[in-house]
Amino acid sequence: MGTMHRYLTKTRFKVGHECPTKLYFYGKPEFGNNNSDSAFLHALAEGGFQVGELAKVYHEGGIQIETLDSEEAIKETAKHLKRKSVILYEAAIKFQDLFVRVDVLRKTDDVVELIEVKAKSFDPTEEDPFYNKRELKKGIKKIHSEWEPYLLDIAFQTHVVRGAFPKWKITSALMLADKSSEATVDGLNQLFSLETDSTGRTRAVANPKVKKTDLGVQVLTRVGVDEEVRLIFGQEFDGKSFSEYISCLSAAFTQDKMIAPLVGSRCKSCEYRIDNLKKQSGLKSGFETCWSHAAKFSTKDFERPLVLDVWNFRKSDNIIKNGRYFMDSLEEGDIEPRPRPGDAGLSNTERQWIQITAATKEGKRPYLDHAGLSAEILGWTFPLHFIDFETTMVAIPFNKGRKPYEQIAFQFSHHVFNADGTIEHKTEYINREQGKFPNFEFVRALRLALSNDSGTIFRYAAHENTVLTQIRHQLKNSSELDRQELIEWIESITKSCDDSIDKWEGKRNMVDLCDIIKRYYYHPETHGSNSIKKVLPAILGTSEFLQNKYSHPIYGATNSIQSKNFQDWSWIKKDAKGVVIDPYKLLPPIFSDLDLETMDSLITEGSLADGGAAMTAYARMQFTQMSEAERNRVSKALLRYCELDTFAMVMIYEYWRFEIESRQRKAA
Ligand code: SF4
């Protein structure tokens, strides 16, 4: 039987470095954790499992330390390390109460290389990629925050292995997805199929016949990081040396002692800040434990709006440090609302102040700038088009000629709102084929869908613009016969990104509905979030117009709203308390073992936050063995979700239109 020794591992060290108090909650089932499936789903969505296996094939001839039992793995590793020269995968090494499994360890005599494999993109042409450029200009070498977790991870491993084998000459490296490298073979991912064993552990299994020579040009690159590791060894962490810092975290974890919480803005997105639903299911909130302890919160205090939750508020840490925790303690002077320079609508500071007053002083009424929004709406041309994309970026390219982490656009949905008020779900696209590069077909289908008129096109947030500009770039480097036409069309509906060398703004440049919301609308129930998944339920809960209209099964009904995936559907259903149920929750789950919210909460970078579920579903379709029936079921579920994403935009538009017209009628 395996021992239950409480080792500080590299994952636990990472958690402890984010916030030392988290180590106390880590792994305790009584504390709810919003990230519980996070590492797994991230790896699944990005193809991280395959990266690990690919790295092993690149280091051919190694021995895998199979067992998951720490003590057994340590013994087995020690046995193999007696050899003069050996490559080990998942080598298990302990030092004091620290324990690591090294992805790839290469040993020749006493010269040992530790390689940590990461599904992270790396540009080998960039100068000083690991350092903060602004500090570097001042002559200071400071690790860039983007790279810190990866470099701390390998530094931790180096510390442990050095402690265990002081006589070894150790070098450290990261193995990363090389952004500049083009795959020279098709279907690399398919050589590593994902399998789930009897214990529920998912891993990629390389086709046993795969040889390094079958893999073409290497898409992972080994980057030596000895200099960065040395820098970390010489740095101070909370006033301690790196090794003292590790000992301190390790002692707390081994003895199961809670390190006193230092509450601040980082608590906002802490994984131990669980919602009421999780609490009602009996789980404890680590967040509440910390704030009761450090800020002496009573049970009632947790119901009060917190400074922490003011949208985009950089000063929150200082204010919290001074013991002001609640939004009602904020004054106008703390925010200093200033008008938006040279543009219509709310500035960020004005919006923050509206959030604070709506949460604390004026009850729960939404803010709507009728005049500003009416002026915007007047500039829009019918028919209105609402589009939404589902995309992904995977570490190992699916196809020959493609690079790691290139954008892949695999699905879109398209609704139309006509001048006569009729609505239709007009077009959709999905790629179901495994290993296909769908982007050019995707953009042709989109162009066809949007080229019948010159109506205004709406997107939600920057994502659709970013993706189209990336496809434009891919087209430029392609030999597609219609590439010039497609490039010109993309330019006609987009705007060049800030970092683009080519500059353009299309005549029919898409309107960002999220930006319109930020400037003219605020609903207190969104608690400062502008995600469409928060905005839509808030509006549906408020708008009697939408409630009346969509409580009838008119969606997908004959002679009513045309839909491609729904029939006689009512979007408004209420729970036992009469509260409108979030329409996303009315849809059947994409997978029975993962709910939408868990999947979406995982991929939180930028505008991809709302696409986590689709990315995960697509990854499963691409990477796992799936029957045709299951593939059909998943595609249908994806089509329904994406259709709701664009219909959500239609409903927001309808709600505004109704509010503005009602105001105009009253004024007349
Ligand atoms: S709530 Fe704050 S102090 Fe507590 S574990 Fe989370 S981040 Fe750390």
Side-chain angles (χ1 to χ4, degrees):
M1 265 309 283
T3 172
M4 295 300 287
H5 191 95
R6 288 174 65 85
Y7 286 118
L8 190 75
T9 60
K10 44 189 192 181
T11 310
R12 290 169 189 153
F13 171 63
K14 180 175 172 277
V15 167
H17 181 65
E18 280 166 20
C19 167
T21 314
K22 282 186 189 175
L23 273 181
Y24 180 72
F25 306 127
Y26 186 83
K28 290 200 170 99
E30 63 270 34
F31 286 96
N33 179 346
N34 298 328
N35 282 357
S36 47
D37 292 324
S38 154
F40 164 73
L41 288 180
H42 257 119
L44 177 67
E46 290 184 2
F49 290 113
Q50 289 89 329
V51 168
E53 283 309 298
L54 183 60
K56 288 178 194 165
V57 183
Y58 287 156
H59 295 93
E60 258 178 334
I63 300 162
Q64 171 83 34
I65 307 296
E66 286 281 354
T67 177
L68 292 179
D69 181 290
S70 314
E71 303 307 320
E72 265 180 43
I74 291 166
K75 275 191 212 145
E76 210 183 314
T77 304
K79 188 178 81 193
H80 292 298
L81 286 176
K82 288 191 183 125
R83 297 182 189 203
K84 188 172 157 52
S85 151
V86 71
I87 297 176
L88 296 180
Y89 312 136
E90 302 290 331
I93 294 173
K94 76 163 183 166
F95 170 57
Q96 296 164 345
D97 288 322
L98 316 173
F99 173 79
V100 292
R101 296 207 66 156
V102 183
D103 289 338
V104 180
L105 182 150
R106 282 207 300 202
K107 174 180 177 287
T108 312
D109 295 322
D110 60 349
V111 177
V112 170
E113 185 181 25
L114 309 177
I115 304 170
E116 171 66 14
V117 183
K118 292 284 182 203
K120 159 119 184 102
S121 70
F122 178 78
D123 180 358
T125 61
E126 188 184 336
E127 230 177 288
D128 299 311
F130 298 129
Y131 296 101
N132 179 311
K133 301 280 185 302
R134 211 177 307 151
E135 296 293 316
L136 212 54
K137 270 189 195 152
K138 295 184 223 156
I140 302 166
K141 283 205 153 179
K142 185 173 182 270
I143 305 279
H144 195 292
S145 57
E146 183 194 340
W147 286 101
E148 199 190 37
Y150 306 96
L151 291 164
L152 280 174
D153 183 332
I154 186 73
F156 177 74
Q157 294 181 53
T158 310
H159 171 78
V160 174
V161 178
R162 195 194 255 187
F165 299 95
K167 291 192 179 139
W168 280 0
K169 294 184 189 76
I170 299 170
T171 58
S172 319
L174 293 176
M175 187 144 208
L176 303 161
D178 183 345
K179 256 175 99 169
S180 69
S181 172
E182 274 181 17
T184 50
V185 292
D186 270 321
L188 270 179
N189 283 290
Q190 267 74 46
L191 300 173
F192 307 93
S193 56
L194 283 192
E195 288 174 12
T196 306
D197 64 19
S198 54
T199 63
R201 190 169 68 129
T202 296
R203 58 184 195 158
V205 180
N207 180 325
K209 290 188 188 137
V210 175
K211 297 265 165 318
K212 192 176 171 185
T213 44
D214 302 333
L215 303 175
V217 163
Q218 245 183 249
V219 291
L220 303 182
T221 184
R222 182 200 155 285
V223 190
V225 291
D226 287 335
E227 186 190 322
E228 289 73 22
V229 167
R230 254 196 311 277
L231 188 76
I232 289 171
F233 281 178
Q235 256 176 23
E236 280 206 349
F237 294 82
D238 291 342
K240 302 176 189 74
S241 72
F242 188 58
S243 90
E244 285 165 355
Y245 179 60
I246 291 173
S247 300
C248 174
L249 293 177
S250 159
F253 185 73
T254 310
Q255 294 158 27
D256 198 15
K257 274 194 187 147
M258 184 164 102
I259 296 180
L262 270 179
V263 295
S265 60
R266 67 179 172 185
C267 303
K268 180 173 182 165
S269 54
C270 176
E271 62 269 32
Y272 295 103
R273 187 181 192 189
I274 55 170
D275 61 18
N276 284 339
L277 216 64
K278 284 207 175 89
K279 279 192 270 172
Q280 280 153 16
S281 75
L283 290 169
K284 284 196 208 166
S285 159
F287 177 87
E288 292 189 1
T289 307
C290 291
W291 285 71
S292 315
H293 191 280
K296 306 280 170 281
F297 270 27
S298 67
T299 313
K300 278 220 152 310
D301 287 336
F302 289 106
E303 286 158 26
R304 295 169 67 185
L306 301 178
V307 168
L308 195 68
D309 290 321
V310 176
W311 173 66
N312 219 356
F313 188 38
R314 303 242 161 84
K315 293 187 207 158
S316 64
D317 250 340
N318 270 342
I319 291 177
I320 292 169
K321 255 187 213 143
N322 290 327
R324 291 162 62 204
Y325 305 121
F326 302 105
M327 273 196 212
D328 59 17
S329 74
L330 291 174
E331 287 163 12
E332 210 165 331
D334 293 316
I335 303 292
E336 297 179 272
R338 291 210 181 97
R340 198 181 169 93
D343 206 353
L346 296 170
S347 65
N348 284 1
T349 46
E350 285 173 327
R351 190 171 170 78
Q352 287 163 347
W353 189 238
I354 284 173
Q355 179 189 356
I356 294 159
T357 47
T360 59
K361 298 189 179 88
E362 287 179 8
K364 300 267 176 193
R365 272 186 300 121
Y367 166 89
L368 199 162
D369 172 356
H370 284 82
L373 191 57
S374 305
E376 290 284 345
I377 287 179
L378 276 177
W380 297 343
T381 309
F382 286 107
L384 309 180
H385 300 270
F386 298 86
I387 59 166
D388 180 70
F389 299 171
E390 300 299 347
T391 64
T392 192
M393 294 198 277
V394 292
I396 305 177
F398 290 122
N399 311 90
K400 195 170 156 177
R402 307 262 54 108
K403 296 172 183 168
Y405 286 107
E406 268 198 83
Q407 191 68 260
I408 295 168
F410 62 85
Q411 187 183 5
F412 74 75
S413 166
H414 168 217
H415 267 90
V416 170
F417 191 103
N418 294 305
D420 62 2
T422 53
I423 300 166
E424 46 187 327
H425 184 229
K426 188 92 176 163
T427 331
E428 64 185 5
Y429 169 89
I430 189 164
N431 169 51
R432 292 162 29 98
E433 232 175 277
Q434 257 187 337
K436 173 177 166 163
F437 181 68
N439 290 14
F440 302 149
E441 189 182 289
F442 169 99
V443 89
R444 283 184 196 110
L446 186 72
R447 181 182 175 217
L448 201 66
L450 295 172
S451 294
N452 295 325
D453 54 66
S454 49
T456 304
I457 307 166
F458 295 87
R459 56 180 159 91
Y460 199 91
H463 188 55
E464 281 65 26
N465 193 71
T466 312
V467 171
L468 284 173
T469 56
Q470 284 162 336
I471 298 180
R472 171 188 174 275
H473 185 73
Q474 291 164 342
L475 278 164
K476 275 185 127 180
N477 296 318
S478 80
S479 52
E480 300 294 304
L481 292 175
D482 55 351
R483 65 186 194 132
Q484 198 47 39
E485 284 164 51
L486 293 177
I487 288 170
E488 281 168 21
W489 180 74
I490 288 174
E491 287 176 359
S492 74
I493 69 160
T494 54
K495 186 178 178 205
S496 52
C497 298
D498 291 346
D499 57 356
S500 167
I501 300 165
D502 299 338
K503 296 284 173 209
W504 73 89
E505 180 167 358
K507 267 193 176 160
R508 204 184 167 196
N509 184 19
M510 294 177 280
V511 173
D512 177 1
L513 210 61
C514 181
D515 181 57
I516 301 284
I517 286 182
K518 285 185 197 160
R519 287 196 281 144
Y520 303 110
Y521 186 74
Y522 179 75
H523 196 301
E525 286 299 324
T526 61
H527 303 291
S529 164
N530 298 311
S531 157
I532 199 158
K533 303 256 160 61
K534 293 277 185 279
V535 174
L536 177 70
I539 288 179
L540 288 181
T542 300
S543 167
E544 279 182 30
F545 163 71
L546 290 179
Q547 288 182 17
N548 289 335
K549 182 169 177 183
Y550 292 111
S551 55
H552 302 288
I554 57 168
Y555 193 81
T558 321
N559 299 328
S560 188
I561 301 174
Q562 285 178 36
S563 161
K564 294 199 177 298
N565 303 294
F566 295 88
Q567 215 186 339
D568 304 329
W569 189 268
S570 347
W571 285 112
I572 298 292
K573 300 227 163 72
K574 293 187 175 172
D575 65 14
K577 288 183 191 150
V579 177
V580 174
I581 301 171
D582 178 345
Y584 284 95
K585 301 217 163 101
L586 298 175
L587 302 182
I590 300 179
F591 295 110
S592 48
D593 57 340
L594 294 168
D595 64 66
L596 174 81
E597 219 166 329
T598 314
M599 291 201 276
D600 261 351
S601 66
L602 304 172
I603 295 158
T604 51
E605 285 163 35
S607 56
L608 291 184
D610 293 327
M615 281 169 76
T616 317
Y618 190 68
R620 277 200 172 180
M621 290 216 292
Q622 290 290 330
F623 300 145
T624 58
Q625 298 301 331
M626 221 182 238
S627 68
E628 192 48 28
E630 178 71 348
R631 193 172 297 280
N632 269 335
R633 204 192 57 71
V634 173
S635 310
K636 278 197 179 132
L638 278 175
L639 289 169
R640 274 195 294 264
Y641 277 99
C642 199
E643 178 167 346
L644 177 53
D645 282 337
T646 43
F647 189 58
M649 293 159 75
V650 173
M651 286 195 273
I652 293 170
Y653 167 73
E654 279 192 285
Y655 160 67
W656 285 342
R657 197 173 132 118
F658 176 82
E659 291 292 312
I660 287 168
E661 285 174 359
S662 313
R663 166 78 69 105
Q664 284 164 350
R665 272 196 299 275
K666 273 184 210 153

